[in-house]
């Protein structure tokens, strides 16, 4: 599943995107790519520029690693291949 949300809304606004839309978003450098899989899954494969914050660590790490709350974020929770 691919989802996009704005950090300022604390995940309250989201939508699902198609693979084609995701490809365009990954190419857009104004979009943050967020990988929420476990660290070992991220280490084995991830999308270019993806920031890895596993779901279990989100509350602690997101405020530090995703400080721009107005930036568009694309999160994925499945294999990027």
């Amino acid at each position: 599943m691919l989802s996009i949300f704005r950090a300022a809304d604390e995940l309250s606004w989201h939508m699902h995107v198609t693979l084609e839309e995701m490809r365009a978003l990954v190419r857009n450098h104004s979009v943050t790519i967020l990988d929420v899989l476990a660290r070992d899954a991220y280490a084995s494969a991830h999308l270019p520029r993806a920031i890895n914050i596993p779901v279990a660590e989100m509350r602690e790490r997101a405020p530090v690693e995703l400080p721009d709350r107005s930036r568009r974020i694309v999160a994925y929770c499945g294999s990027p291949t």
Side-chain angles (χ1 to χ4, degrees):
M1 174 192 309
L2 306 171
S3 296
I4 184 169
F5 60 89
R6 290 203 182 270
D9 297 332
E10 296 184 20
L11 301 179
S12 63
W13 181 86
H14 68 277
M15 65 183 213
H16 300 293
V17 296
T18 65
L19 182 57
E20 183 176 311
E21 291 168 325
M22 182 64 173
R23 286 181 179 136
L25 289 165
V26 168
R27 291 183 193 111
N28 183 341
H29 287 269
S30 70
V31 174
T32 298
I33 309 300
L34 177 63
D35 180 318
V36 297
L37 296 171
R39 291 176 193 209
D40 58 335
Y42 177 83
S44 68
H46 59 271
L47 293 172
R49 300 185 300 106
I51 297 170
N52 179 233
I53 304 177
V55 172
E57 301 173 19
M58 190 66 65
R59 288 195 187 277
E60 298 158 2
R61 293 180 51 200
V64 174
E65 296 187 44
L66 304 170
D68 184 352
R69 297 180 59 82
S70 66
R71 188 172 176 104
R72 192 164 46 164
I73 298 170
V74 175
Y76 69 92
C77 57
S79 173
T81 58

